[in-house]
Amino acid sequence: MSFCFRRLLPVIALIFLGSCSAYEFPDPTPEDYAVHGIDISRWQGDIDWNAVRKDGISFAWIKATEGGDHSDPRFLDNWYGAKAAGLPRGAYHFYYFCRPVEEQIAWVQETVPVDPTALPLVLDMEWNAHSKTCRERPEREKILRDMNAFLDAMENHYGKRPVIYSSVDFHRDRLVDALHEEQFWLRSVAAHPNRVYTKREDWYFWQYTAEGKVDGIQGEVDRNVFFGAKSQFRDWLNGKLKR
């Protein structure tokens, strides 16, 4: 190697590094993630859970309850059907802002069976602009207080800390820079969650479409991904994942 070429190497390296820093790498797409799942409710109708599992689905969250007195009429069928197919599944509760948190806690515990093999319960926090019975939008302080009460009660009852589901507008209005010790599942159908959520890069699950297709389900279904590798998902299932 000539002396002149050796002197040029640092310059070439600097040019290369400069070009890399100027290049903006594209966001990961859902296809880039290894672990895929769904969330469902009565509106998916009869589900062939064996076909769902064979189509590469690794987890499912099933609507169980809403408010303090409503339960999904297909919850138990789906709850036991998914388990029989060997698919990891959990329940989710849709929060209702016109019902005391204590009543919602009691209703979930009455409706959702205790099953140590289940995924953590999900607390679904989003504004419901279509509700005909509740237009309340409590302030951030009350929401955070009630959320913590719900999370603590569910962890005590079921043995696992719940996951928090949120939509873009609800998170923007009430949850920015809050609850960083919790596990979040974020809805973001227009872009990668890191593009649209503020101070929430530590999310665990991403709901990327409501128009997914999965074998065993007629029509459309919500599709989701887990943030990490399959080995990390196994650790998460066993309560051993450290982020």
Side-chain angles (χ1 to χ4, degrees):
M1 182 184 295
S2 71
F3 174 75
C4 290
F5 185 72
R6 288 198 302 271
R7 293 192 64 183
L8 282 173
L9 283 177
V11 177
I12 294 171
L14 285 173
I15 293 172
F16 176 76
L17 290 173
S19 65
C20 286
S21 63
Y23 180 77
E24 184 176 353
F25 290 94
D27 292 328
T29 66
E31 290 74 22
D32 293 321
Y33 292 89
V35 181
H36 288 250
I38 59 173
D39 60 278
I40 61 95
S41 69
R42 64 183 296 183
W43 304 112
Q44 273 65 53
D46 293 326
I47 295 176
D48 182 341
W49 284 105
N50 285 303
V52 169
R53 179 180 56 80
K54 291 176 182 177
D55 196 25
I57 297 301
S58 298
F59 64 90
W61 267 301
I62 301 166
K63 184 171 183 179
T65 49
E66 182 172 340
D69 58 7
H70 174 76
S71 61
D72 189 293
R74 290 184 178 267
F75 168 61
L76 289 178
D77 287 340
N78 287 321
W79 178 257
Y80 291 113
K83 183 172 184 177
L87 184 67
R89 80 326 183 209
Y92 74 86
H93 171 73
F94 190 90
Y95 198 83
Y96 185 70
F97 297 104
C98 295
R99 198 76 181 249
V101 65
E102 295 81 7
E103 294 181 9
Q104 300 192 58
I105 289 170
W107 181 237
V108 172
Q109 293 177 351
E110 179 182 337
T111 306
V112 179
V114 175
D115 181 352
T117 69
L119 302 180
L121 187 86
V122 169
L123 173 58
D124 184 341
M125 300 295 293
E126 53 186 306
W127 300 130
N128 185 1
H130 303 291
S131 176
K132 298 178 181 179
T133 58
C134 183
R135 299 293 184 177
E136 291 188 19
R137 294 196 170 195
E139 293 301 315
R140 173 182 167 103
E141 181 179 348
K142 174 174 172 49
I143 283 178
L144 292 178
R145 183 172 63 249
D146 288 348
M147 287 178 68
N148 276 307
F150 186 97
L151 297 172
D152 290 343
M154 294 302 120
E155 182 177 19
N156 182 62
H157 187 76
Y158 293 104
K160 297 177 182 179
R161 190 76 172 173
V163 171
I164 300 169
Y165 173 93
S166 184
S167 59
V168 176
D169 56 345
F170 184 84
H171 187 276
R172 179 195 63 224
D173 294 345
R174 297 292 185 269
L175 296 181
V176 172
D177 209 18
L179 302 171
H180 284 293
E181 298 302 315
E182 308 297 346
Q183 301 176 66
F184 273 80
W185 169 19
L186 303 178
R187 173 179 172 81
S188 184
V189 299
H192 191 274
N194 292 356
R195 293 284 183 182
V196 294
Y197 284 82
T198 301
K199 298 184 178 180
R200 195 58 67 191
E201 292 81 6
D202 53 352
W203 54 270
Y204 278 69
F205 295 89
W206 168 23
Q207 184 187 82
Y208 63 88
T209 184
E211 301 174 345
K213 300 292 185 180
V214 174
D215 289 349
I217 297 177
Q218 297 295 319
E220 298 174 338
V221 65
D222 293 339
R223 296 283 309 247
N224 306 271
V225 294
F226 175 72
F227 83 95
K230 290 182 178 180
S231 60
Q232 290 174 298
F233 184 67
R234 288 193 295 269
D235 287 343
W236 181 82
L237 286 175
N238 295 320
K240 297 178 180 179
L241 180 64
K242 303 295 183 182
R243 284 201 71 181

